Amino acid sequence: MKVPLLDLRPPLEELHDEIVKAVTQVIDSTCYIMGPEIDGLEKEISAYCGTNDAVGVSSGTDALLLALMVLDVGPGDLVLTSDFSFFATAGVIARLNSTPVFVDIDPQTFNIDPESLRNTLTEMDAQTRKRVKAIIPVHLYGQCADMEAILNISREYNIPVIEDGAQAIGAECELDGQKKRAGSTGDFGCFSFFPSKNLGGVGDGGIVTVNNPEIAEQLRLKRVHGGERKYYHRVIGGNFRLDPIQAAVIRVKLPHLNEWHKQRQENAEHYNKLFVEKDLLGKVQLPFIAHPQNLQNAHIFNQYVIKAERRDELKSYLAENEIASEVYYPRPFHLQECFLHLGGKIGDFPVAEAVTTEVLALPIYPGMTKEMRETVVEQIANFY
Ligand SMILES: *Cc1c(COP(=O)(O)O)cnc(C)c1O
C-alpha cells in the first residue's frame, strides 16, 4: 500500500462545493483587494485564537516579517529564536539586517528551551542585552512552547514576544491556570495558511493575532506600504495583504478546524498504540506532550514526529516500500550555510544538533486510513 505524506483531497472533497461557491462570490464581487472577506476572517480568527484583533497578511513568513517591522527591528538589533525551525523563522530576522541569536531546544518537545533562553540573556553584557528587540518562540509541529516560562523571562527583561504559530493554530497551553490558545499570550501571534498547515488555503496566506489595539494599527499601516492615506507615507511598510480568495476559502474551512485537529489526534493515538503493540519503543521515541492532559488541543499534530534509531536508513527503507516520511529539519540554523558568518560551529547547540539526526515525520493527515497507519508501523517493525 502506498502512503503519501500528505493528501489534501479528503477535507477538500467534504467542502468542495462550498469552497468553489465562496471563491466564485469573490470573483463576481470584483472586490479583489482587502474588503469584507478579510474583515470577516480577521474577526473569526481573533475569536478563535482568543485575541482582541487579527490582521490578515500574505503568508506566515510575512506575518513574522511584519511583526518585526512593527517593532522597528533593524541593523544592530538582535532577535532571539529557536535553533530548530522552518527557515522563515530565522530568515525574516536576517532580511531586516538584524542578527538572529539562536537558542537550544528541549529534547522532548523540540521547542525553545526556556533555561537556555535565560542563560543566553544572562551571559550577555548589559550593552548587548539592550540590543535584543524580540524573542520568537516557535510552536513546533503543533505544540505550544513553554509560554509561562518564556513570558516570565520576557517580562523580566522587557522584551516583546512574537509567537511563531505557523504550525499550531488552535494549539492550547495553560497560563496562570487558564487555557490559552497559540498566538494569544505573546505580543504577536503569527500564523500561516500554507496548504500543508492544519488550516490551509488554496495558496499562500497568513495572519497576525494581536491584543494591543495600537500594535494592530501599526500592523495595518505597514501592511499597505505605511500609507494611512493613499500616496502619503508616514513610515515604510510593504505589500503584505491577504488575498480575499484565500480569506474566503479559510472562512469556509475554519468551522471544521477543531474536527480536523481531532482526527489528527486520533491518528496520533492510533500510531502510539501500534508502536507499543509492535514493541518498538526501544527503537523509536513517540511524540511527547508537555501540556496538561485536560487540554483538548495540547498538541494539534501538524506533524507527528518520532525520534528514530538509524533514521536515514529507516527513511530510505520506507521510501522503497512506498511510504513517505520527511525530516523536519535536517540542519539547525546555526549550521546553515547562510548563517555560518555568525560564527556557529558544531557543538554549540547539542540538543538541536542531535535531533536533526533523529526526527522523522510520518503521515498524519485527516482522512488517511487506519490501514495506512498499520502499514506504516508494520514496515517500521520490518525495518528494525
Ligand atoms: C510554514 C511556516 C512558516 C512560514 O509560513 P509560510 O506561509 O509558508 O510563509 C513559518 N514558520 C514555521 C514554523 C512554519 O512551519
Side-chain angles (χ1 to χ4, degrees), residues 14-66:
E14 192 185 331
L15 300 173
H16 181 270
D17 294 355
E18 232 184 302
I19 288 173
V20 169
K21 190 170 150 223
V23 170
T24 306
Q25 267 173 7
V26 174
I27 293 170
D28 291 345
S29 76
T30 72
C31 178
Y32 302 147
I33 301 292
M34 301 306 295
E37 294 293 345
I38 308 295
D39 297 343
L41 180 70
E42 289 179 345
K43 288 198 179 75
E44 288 157 16
I45 292 285
S46 57
Y48 179 80
C49 291
T51 58
N52 288 336
D53 207 345
V55 179
V57 293
S58 30
S59 69
T61 303
D62 286 344
L64 293 163
L65 183 65
L66 181 60

Side-chain angles (χ1 to χ4, degrees), residues 135-190:
I135 301 169
I136 311 184
V138 182
H139 306 319
L140 205 66
Y141 305 145
Q143 170 167 233
C144 287
D146 184 350
M147 291 310 294
E148 192 135 38
I150 293 164
L151 291 169
N152 279 337
I153 297 167
S154 74
R155 285 189 198 115
E156 190 177 326
Y157 291 99
N158 200 19
I159 305 169
V161 172
I162 301 169
E163 297 175 60
D164 183 344
Q167 300 182 4
I169 192 160
E172 292 162 351
C173 64
E174 227 174 49
L175 195 66
D176 306 322
Q178 288 203 309
K179 185 179 95 174
K180 292 279 185 183
R181 283 203 168 144
S184 69
T185 64
D187 298 277
F188 303 82
C190 297

Side-chain angles (χ1 to χ4, degrees), residues 59-61 64 85-86 88-89 138 164 166-167 192 194 197 204-205 329:
S59 69
T61 303
L64 293 163
S85 177
F86 177 60
T89 315
V138 182
D164 183 344
Q167 300 182 4
S192 164
F194 187 79
K197 314 291 184 182
D204 280 307
Y329 298 90

